[in-house]
Amino acid sequence: MYRLATLLCLIALAWAAPVAAQTPIHRCIGANGSAVFTDQPCAALQATPASRVAASAPAVTATTTPTLCAATLGALRQGVIDAFASHDANRLAGMMLWDGYGRGAAVADIQSLTRLMKQPLLDVKAPDESAAAPASASSLADPFAMNVDPAPTAPAHNQLVVHTADSDGNGNPRELRFDIVHQAGCLWLRNAD
């Protein structure tokens, strides 16, 4: 029994010796802002300990989490304007509901949105900006068609109307209509078929 206890103590001592011999790793932020991991104190490298940097950074709370969808018509309209300003078809596509689309239809619409983003944005009208008027049949048939009725009209009760310069150079604006759908506490766009 004495031999077993001695053997276990020696094994424990042999196992603990390398752990005690290890030096601590210092996490520092260098003068250029990059992370530095070293066995020397941060002050020796003229760096700041990472724990002090983290403590001085403002805490992010759950109330500052950004909203990822439009909660108001104004936010939805501004999102469309921002997507055109950055020529980002994916940003506009992110404001649309895609359920019920097949792969081919979704890809075709994304390609149409990409072509659309190359055109200058003239106007975006939301329902609260003007009196509701019935939509013309030609503008509802295919919102991505290149030869749509050029006469700008007021948005229908639940539609967002986008006017862009036409790509054929005739000077007439192109009109696209998107249905506005309220789902999961957000406002989304859907192609007005």
Side-chain angles (χ1 to χ4, degrees), residues 115-116 118-122 144-150 163-176:
R115 286 190 301 275
L116 178 68
K118 294 178 183 175
Q119 304 304 318
L121 179 66
L122 301 176
F144 297 112
M146 294 305 284
N147 52 358
V148 180
D149 181 16
H163 295 109
T164 64
D166 199 0
S167 61
D168 65 4
N170 67 6
N172 293 328
R174 179 177 172 205
E175 181 178 287
L176 294 105

Side-chain angles (χ1 to χ4, degrees), residues 9-56:
C9 286
L10 286 174
I11 291 174
L13 183 62
W15 181 75
V19 173
Q22 289 182 354
T23 59
I25 301 295
H26 298 275
R27 294 173 183 91
C28 310
I29 304 297
N32 63 355
S34 64
V36 178
F37 297 93
T38 180
D39 60 346
Q40 299 176 13
C42 295
L45 301 173
Q46 298 177 345
T48 306
S51 59
R52 264 196 277 160
V53 171
S56 65

Side-chain angles (χ1 to χ4, degrees), residues 3-171:
R3 282 186 185 179
L4 182 61
T6 306
L7 181 63
L8 287 176
C9 286
L10 286 174
I11 291 174
L13 183 62
W15 181 75
V19 173
Q22 289 182 354
T23 59
I25 301 295
H26 298 275
R27 294 173 183 91
C28 310
I29 304 297
N32 63 355
S34 64
V36 178
F37 297 93
T38 180
D39 60 346
Q40 299 176 13
C42 295
L45 301 173
Q46 298 177 345
T48 306
S51 59
R52 264 196 277 160
V53 171
S56 65
V60 177
T61 62
T63 59
T64 61
T65 303
T67 304
L68 301 177
C69 65
T72 65
L73 283 172
L76 184 65
R77 181 179 181 275
Q78 188 60 47
V80 171
I81 292 169
D82 293 345
F84 271 90
S86 61
H87 302 287
D88 190 352
N90 287 326
R91 189 170 182 175
L92 184 60
M95 292 184 275
M96 298 179 69
L97 284 179
W98 293 97
D99 55 336
Y101 271 77
R103 177 186 158 100
V107 168
D109 280 356
I110 293 284
Q111 290 171 343
S112 295
L113 289 174
T114 301
R115 286 190 301 275
L116 178 68
M117 290 291 132
K118 294 178 183 175
Q119 304 304 318
L121 179 66
L122 301 176
D123 188 28
V124 178
K125 291 190 181 201
D128 61 343
E129 295 180 37
S130 62
S136 65
S138 63
S139 66
L140 291 177
D142 183 6
F144 297 112
M146 294 305 284
N147 52 358
V148 180
D149 181 16
T153 57
H157 175 61
N158 62 344
Q159 288 187 336
L160 187 85
V161 179
V162 176
H163 295 109
T164 64
D166 199 0
S167 61
D168 65 4
N170 67 6

